[in-house]
Amino acid sequence: MRGINRVTIAGHLGRDPEVRHTKSDTLAVTLSVATSEKWTDRESGEERQATEWHRIVIFNPGLASIAADYLKSGDKVYIEGKLQTRKWTDDAGQDRYVTEVVLQPYRGVFEMLGSARGWDTGPEAPPPGDTQRPDDLSAPSALNGSAADQPHGDEIPF
């Protein structure tokens, strides 16, 4: 049996994208994305919130370029990628580990869900469910498309 390694994240950027190039001169963009959940504590009746931070690394050249050019802290994003853990040795000789959601070339999904700078798809735009997403998000139509342009789960004929 083969396993499935797929992660889906919809949240807000905690800071501007970090842009760098690998040793082989591949563009790599790192994002820090926050996901939050709210609930009411049953015992106290108080509203609670928990925020989880996710490190996203985009190696897909087209998606990395769009992320570097258009994203800013606070923007809403939808990401699908692969969970990957890296190991390295720090300057003190200690082994260190980091777990990231990685978007490799020709794999993964990255969508901008909204921004205060004019390409907002709505104040509470949900992540796309079973919608068909374009393969090349560098196309202008993919950047300018809205959630209203996408088919909804109830309209899929199967």
Side-chain angles (χ1 to χ4, degrees):
M1 178 174 105
R2 295 179 63 182
I4 296 174
N5 183 349
R6 187 168 193 107
V7 177
T8 303
I9 304 281
H12 290 85
L13 264 62
R15 61 177 186 253
D16 289 348
E18 176 186 322
V19 180
R20 60 186 169 84
H21 286 83
T22 64
K23 292 177 186 175
S24 61
D25 203 34
T26 302
L27 179 63
V29 174
T30 302
L31 307 174
S32 180
V33 178
T35 56
S36 298
E37 62 179 311
K38 293 182 182 181
W39 70 95
T40 302
D41 186 288
R42 290 184 181 182
E43 293 181 19
S44 69
E46 292 180 36
E47 188 171 295
R48 305 278 181 160
Q49 179 175 332
T51 301
E52 190 71 36
W53 289 94
H54 311 276
R55 180 179 169 95
I56 314 293
V57 183
I58 305 173
F59 291 107
N60 178 312
L63 300 182
S65 177
I66 291 170
D69 291 344
Y70 293 98
L71 290 179
K72 298 288 181 218
S73 179
D75 287 347
K76 294 181 255 183
V77 294
Y78 174 86
I79 304 283
E80 288 182 20
K82 174 177 129 176
L83 200 59
Q84 189 172 336
T85 301
R86 287 188 297 119
K87 175 185 172 185
W88 77 96
T89 305
D90 67 13
D91 294 338
Q94 297 291 319
D95 287 343
R96 301 289 181 185
Y97 298 87
V98 64
T99 300
E100 305 162 319
V101 177
V102 177
L103 282 72
Q104 296 290 349
Y106 311 109
R107 294 196 177 116
V109 175
F110 159 70
E111 293 185 23
M112 299 177 289
L113 295 179
S115 164
R117 293 187 309 278
W119 41 266
D120 195 359
T121 59
E124 293 297 322
D130 292 329
T131 62
Q132 184 177 1
R133 290 180 282 282
D135 291 328
D136 181 9
L137 288 178
S138 64
S141 62
L143 289 175
N144 297 327
S146 70
D149 297 334
Q150 301 294 327
H152 299 293
D154 294 348
E155 297 170 1
I156 298 174
F158 48 70

